[in-house]
Each structure stands twice: as structure tokens, then as C-alpha cells.
């Protein structure tokens, strides 16, 4: 089921791993080695492993994006930037086919374990740059489940967001997209409504931040005036509306 990225562009060049790659790859392999030894154990919880794998891939993705890659270049990161840690980690994890198959089927589609669904969707979305998008359409029932999560307002907000991302990757395959026109026509208005809600929420939070910071700004300005060279001089603006006389100002200053 699991397959590497579909692109075959670029010359294959072997580059020695950077020390940071060796460290991250070593931790990734250690996590997967524990998984291989313990995943059949009923008491083994895979969620911490999935979360840590996601963190490693996300850190590597941040480093990769700092290289300012071409957003239209869909080649495997190991081919666009061979020395980048992201491509190295994606290649390492792709060798664990049993883990990848279980991630797609057993973990992502697990029933009655929303935290496992979230951790699995997060990791799978992080791995998309190294995957052939066609693998998302292979597990029976996966794409319909992603639509249900994406459409339902009651779905956990993180799982809902990850579902949108995974659907976007799955629809990158023309044959898949053409077979889901009805589902997409129902999902797009929902997505637009959610974007509108998020924008309005962002604007409210921005306004609340401004309102909270303005009193602090005024207080700081008051402190500067009270402690500056003109400290003690009556101001021209009073609640009574009366201006101090010139003699009053002179007496208070001298």
C-alpha cells in the first residue's frame, strides 16, 4: 500500500547526512524500533510515538521552508534539497512499510479513540511531501471518513483541519478528484463559511488585544510625564475644564 513520492525528476545523488540529520534520524529510528518490538503488545500506547514523530517531521519541515523552496516543485524534498533533514527523515520512515500501513488503516481509522485519530492524521499530513497521494485512496472507507470529519462541526477542530489537508492531498490525483465532485460541491461552502468565521474571530481577538493594550499605553505615557523634566507642572487639561493661570504655572515650577 505504502509507496514513495510519485515524482522521479532530478538526478540521484548520494549526500552524507548532516550531523543534525543523524541525530533526528537516530531518534526516529529508535522510536520505530520500539514500535516494531511493542506494537503487538496490548498495553503499548502508540500515541506518544506518533506525536514525537510528528514533532521531528515538523521541525525538519521548518528548516526545509527556510530554504525558500519552489511551491510548485512537488518532487521529494530529498531531491530538491538533498542535504536537508526533511528529505532524509521522510526516506527513513518510508522504509517502515508495516508502520505506514498501520498508520493509514488501524490508527487513523480507529473507532472510539479520537486522540489516536488526531495524532495519526497529524503525522500522515506531515508525511505528505514524501508520499504518493494515491495511497490515501487505497484504504477502503478512508476518504469518506475524511469527508465526514471535515464536514461535521462537532468534529474536534484539529482533526477537522487535518482532514481538510489530507483531502487536499488525496484530490491531487485527477481520477480521485473527478469521482468526488458531489462531495466537494457540498464541502466547499462549509469550508468558506469556516474561513469567514475564523476571519471574524481573528478580527475580534485583534480588537480585544488593542483595547487591552491602549490603557497600558496611556498609563506609560502618564508615568513618563509625571517623572520627566516637567513633573509637577499642572496640565492644561483638567476635568473641571479650567486652565491654570500663568502665575500658577510659574509658582509650581519655580
Amino acid at each position: 500500500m505504502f509507496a514513495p513520492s510519485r515524482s522521479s525528476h532530478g538526478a540521484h545523488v548520494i549526500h552524507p547526512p548532516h550531523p543534525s540529520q543523524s541525530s533526528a534520524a537516530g531518534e526516529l529510528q529508535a522510536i520505530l524500533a520500539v514500535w516494531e518490538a511493542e506494537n503487538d503488545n496490548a498495553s503499548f500506547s502508540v500515541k506518544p510515538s506518533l506525536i514525537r514523530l510528528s514533532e521531528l517531521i515538523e521541525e525538519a519541515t521548518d528548516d526545509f521552508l527556510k530554504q525558500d523552496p519552489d511551491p510548485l516543485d512537488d518532487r521529494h524534498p530529498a531531491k530538491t534539497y538533498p542535504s536537508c533533514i526533511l528529505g532524509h527523515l521522510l526516506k527513513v520512515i518510508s522504509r517502515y512499510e508495516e508502520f505506514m500501513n498501520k498508520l493509514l488503516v488501524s490508527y487513523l481509522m480507529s473507532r472510539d479513540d479520537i486522540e489516536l485519530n488526531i495524532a495519526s492524521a497529524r503525522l500522515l499530513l506531515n508525511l505528505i511531501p514524501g508520499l504518493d497521494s494515491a495511497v490515501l485512496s487505497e484504504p477502503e472507507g478512508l476518504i469518506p471518513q475524511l469527508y465526514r470529519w471535515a464536514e461535521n462541526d462537532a468534529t474536534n477542530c484539529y482533526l477537522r483541519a487535518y482532514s481538510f489537508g489530507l483531502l487536499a492531498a488525496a484530490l491531487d490525483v485527477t481520477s480521485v478528484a473527478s469521482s468526488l465532485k458531489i462531495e466537494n460541491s457540498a464541502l466547499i461552502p462549509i469550508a468558506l463559511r469556516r474561513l469567514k468565521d475564523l476571519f471574524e474571530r481573528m478580527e475580534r481577538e485583534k480588537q480585544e488585544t488593542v483595547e487591552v493594550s491602549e490603557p497600558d499605553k496611556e498609563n506609560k505615557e502618564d508615568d513618563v510625564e509625571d517623572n520627566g523634566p516637567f513633573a509637577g507642572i499642572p496640565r492644561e487639561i483638567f476635568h473641571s475644564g479650567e486652565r491654570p493661570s500663568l502665575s500658577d504655572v510659574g509658582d509650581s515650577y519655580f
Side-chain angles (χ1 to χ4, degrees), residues 203-229:
E203 289 295 303
R204 287 196 302 270
E205 292 177 351
K206 181 180 178 181
Q207 183 60 34
E208 290 171 359
T209 301
V210 171
E211 292 174 354
V212 169
S213 63
E214 282 181 347
D216 294 339
K217 182 179 179 182
E218 292 177 359
N219 292 336
K220 289 180 180 178
E221 291 176 350
D222 290 344
D223 292 341
V224 171
E225 293 179 2
D226 291 340
N227 298 326

Side-chain angles (χ1 to χ4, degrees), residues 19-74:
S20 61
Q21 290 183 350
S22 300
S23 175
E27 183 177 355
L28 184 145
Q29 288 176 311
I31 292 171
L32 292 173
V34 171
W35 179 87
E36 286 185 320
E38 300 290 340
N39 80 93
D40 291 329
N41 189 333
S43 63
F44 176 69
S45 175
V46 73
K47 281 179 278 189
S49 298
L50 298 180
I51 292 171
R52 182 54 187 155
L53 288 172
S54 288
E55 291 172 347
L56 289 171
I57 300 297
E58 287 164 4
E59 291 168 4
T61 300
D62 287 342
D63 289 338
F64 177 75
L65 294 176
K66 291 176 183 177
Q67 306 299 320
D68 193 23
D70 182 353
L72 300 179
D73 189 345
D74 64 350

